[in-house]
Amino acid sequence: MTLGRIRELRQQQGLTLHQLAGLTGLSVGMISQVERGITDPSLETLRRISDAFGVPLFDLFREDEPEPVTVVRKDARRRVSSPQGQIVYSQVSRTGGRLELLEAAIEPGAASSGERRSHASEECVLVLTGRLRVEVGRDVYDLDAGDSCHFDSTIPHRFVNPHASVARYLVAVTPPST
């Protein structure tokens, strides 16, 4: 995985490796290794970096401006996962658009994040297989395959799988979350 865009964004924003490390809570060495493609960063590492830049996570992978029509082949999708691989996101849409479509697989007992997160977007999640719990604000919604949930992403939220089998789902985000 090449993440040269991180170096480009860091330089555009006039940040040193030390300053970016301070903003993200990551080590200078880790950021340097990610920029040079030496290490494969976790989902949480990428979230911290994209939050520091104020850009959608998958924008870290963007190399050029998108073409008017983009075909994303299944075996060429960009993927990110949690440190233990309990949740894997696969980007279905192109990078750099006003809509982000992700396919996810979440293992039993896993959550999309340790605590509920918010961002300036709206989301719609559609469960493909298994069962998924969607926590939005103080509310909890249990979804079965074929069910969907549309919500304002400025409300802290996360996805949880308290069930015994893997859940697969699609999530559309507009605009892509930062």
Side-chain angles (χ1 to χ4, degrees), residues 53-68:
F53 290 138
V55 300
L57 186 141
F58 278 97
D59 267 15
L60 299 178
F61 298 92
R62 191 174 80 211
E63 295 174 14
D64 296 316
E65 290 302 313
E67 296 293 323

Side-chain angles (χ1 to χ4, degrees), residues 98-131:
R98 293 184 306 257
L99 169 76
E100 183 173 62
L101 183 62
L102 306 171
E103 181 177 3
I106 186 169
E107 295 290 326
S112 60
S113 60
E115 48 191 56
R116 296 172 190 186
R117 300 171 45 99
S118 64
H119 48 90
S121 301
E122 65 180 275
E123 295 184 38
C124 184
V125 59
L126 169 65
V127 179
L128 301 173
T129 61
R131 298 171 63 205

Side-chain angles (χ1 to χ4, degrees), residues 99-100 119-125 149-154 157 171-177:
L99 169 76
E100 183 173 62
H119 48 90
S121 301
E122 65 180 275
E123 295 184 38
C124 184
V125 59
C149 180
H150 188 152
F151 57 92
D152 179 343
S153 303
T154 62
H157 60 280
V171 60
V173 184
T174 186
S177 63

